[in-house]
Amino acid sequence: MKREGMRLLVVDFDYFFPVPQDPRDPLAPLFAWAHFETPYYLLEAWEERALAFLLRGLSLPEARGWEGFWGRFAFAREAVLYYAESNALAFHPEVRRGVEEVVLFDAHHDAGYRPLGEEPACDDWMVFYHRLGARLRVYYPPWRDASLEPEPKVPVAREVDPGGRVEGVFHRVFLCRSGAWVPPWADPGFFAFLEEAPLPKVALEALPPRPFSLEALKRRVALEGFGLRFMDMPFHWSYALVIGYLAGFTLFLHVWQERAMHTDPKGVVRR
């Protein structure tokens, strides 16, 4: 049975992961990432992205501002929080049942950026709520330049989050990690944010912490950083001695092998 005034609060954790908005920002190229909800982009791609920061002596970007967020809202006594990896599951049958209004806190409006498919995706699930007659509202994070967003495919009230208390009561909540947009080193913050929510919680899919070893990356940085520093060093006469020694030793081995072939019918194989 459809509840009168059923309101759904949706929070995408990328709301708390700021990225440069000005392409002239010197750090902007380090955030020029492709985003696809596939295993590679959820995990493996982040290692190379982290290295890009660490090799430059930069700290890894972190999620921030999520502490105390839930205190801005009033929840109905029977409210439940659903959570998953992808925001596409904000349209899950258990989540969407009876919803008349969706209030989204997200760095993206998720109301269509490309031709729509038959099933909701992470970037167009709001369109499917519009088809059900729900009212739609998006609050962008303060760091987000909303003018960079394409126009949504359906009517959505959009504004930058002014902060403070959010009016009204919410009867259901959905939270997504968005691991293609938010790195695995931010997972501890995500799970702390989830735990901080004062509501019963239901996982719509398995959502374990992603493996990530900062210490292993730092060891790799030490090795790769030495090579990069070596290539960037100005030329010194001692380098010529090393190169000459290696070249001479290689020539000696070559001559020795060539002579061995005259007495060894299988010399060519041994080479």
Side-chain angles (χ1 to χ4, degrees):
M1 182 177 178
K2 189 174 182 179
R3 286 197 52 165
E4 184 68 27
M6 174 75 75
R7 302 179 77 214
L8 169 66
L9 171 64
V10 179
V11 183
D12 188 322
F13 199 62
D14 76 359
Y15 176 97
F16 303 106
F17 189 73
V19 300
Q21 299 297 286
D22 187 342
R24 296 169 297 180
D25 188 317
L27 293 181
L30 297 180
F31 291 85
W33 302 326
H35 302 290
F36 300 96
E37 291 192 320
T38 63
Y40 173 77
Y41 285 100
L42 289 171
L43 184 57
E44 287 91 342
W46 289 110
E47 181 173 311
E48 299 302 320
R49 294 167 179 177
L51 283 172
F53 284 89
L54 297 176
L55 284 169
R56 290 167 172 81
L58 301 173
S59 300
L60 296 181
E62 295 286 353
R64 60 175 186 259
W66 53 266
E67 299 89 343
F69 179 82
W70 300 115
R72 301 174 58 187
F73 306 93
F75 300 108
R77 181 182 302 177
E78 69 279 10
V80 174
L81 185 152
Y82 296 88
Y83 65 96
E85 179 70 74
S86 173
N87 230 359
L89 289 182
F91 198 70
H92 187 280
E94 289 186 43
V95 180
R96 70 173 184 254
R97 178 172 39 87
V99 169
E100 294 185 1
E101 181 181 4
V102 179
V103 178
L104 170 65
F105 285 77
D106 197 331
H108 312 90
H109 59 59
D110 291 0
Y113 300 86
R114 55 190 171 86
L116 300 176
E118 294 184 3
E119 298 293 328
C122 64
D123 59 355
D124 62 15
W125 58 272
M126 288 274 273
V127 175
F128 290 79
Y129 271 106
H130 171 75
R131 292 174 178 175
L132 295 182
R135 302 182 301 279
L136 308 177
R137 177 175 293 277
V138 177
Y139 287 107
Y140 291 110
W143 56 264
R144 181 67 159 136
D145 182 352
S147 69
L148 299 178
E149 280 261 272
E151 287 296 314
K153 302 285 187 182
V154 296
V156 182
R158 299 186 292 158
E159 64 178 294
V160 174
D161 184 3
R165 189 79 174 175
V166 179
E167 293 184 1
V169 175
F170 289 91
H171 305 88
R172 200 168 295 145
V173 179
F174 176 80
L175 169 65
C176 73
R177 178 168 65 179
S178 280
W181 283 262
V182 180
W185 60 85
D187 277 5
F190 170 79
F191 287 106
F193 179 61
L194 172 64
E195 183 63 27
E196 194 177 88
L199 297 170
K201 301 166 182 69
V202 176
L204 295 177
E205 59 183 348
L207 196 64
R210 292 169 289 176
F212 179 77
S213 174
L214 181 58
E215 291 306 313
L217 278 183
K218 287 181 176 179
R219 290 193 293 270
R220 182 175 168 185
V221 165
L223 293 174
E224 296 193 17
F226 174 78
L228 290 173
R229 288 193 300 272
F230 181 79
M231 289 188 293
D232 197 41
M233 288 179 180
F235 183 79
H236 189 270
W237 63 268
S238 60
Y239 302 162
L241 292 178
V242 174
I243 294 172
Y245 168 78
L246 294 174
F249 188 67
T250 301
L251 179 62
F252 166 76
L253 292 175
H254 177 72
V255 172
W256 178 75
Q257 285 184 315
E258 290 294 332
R259 288 180 177 176
M261 287 186 64
H262 293 295
T263 57
D264 185 355
K266 293 184 178 179
V268 68
V269 176
R270 294 184 180 182
R271 289 179 71 196

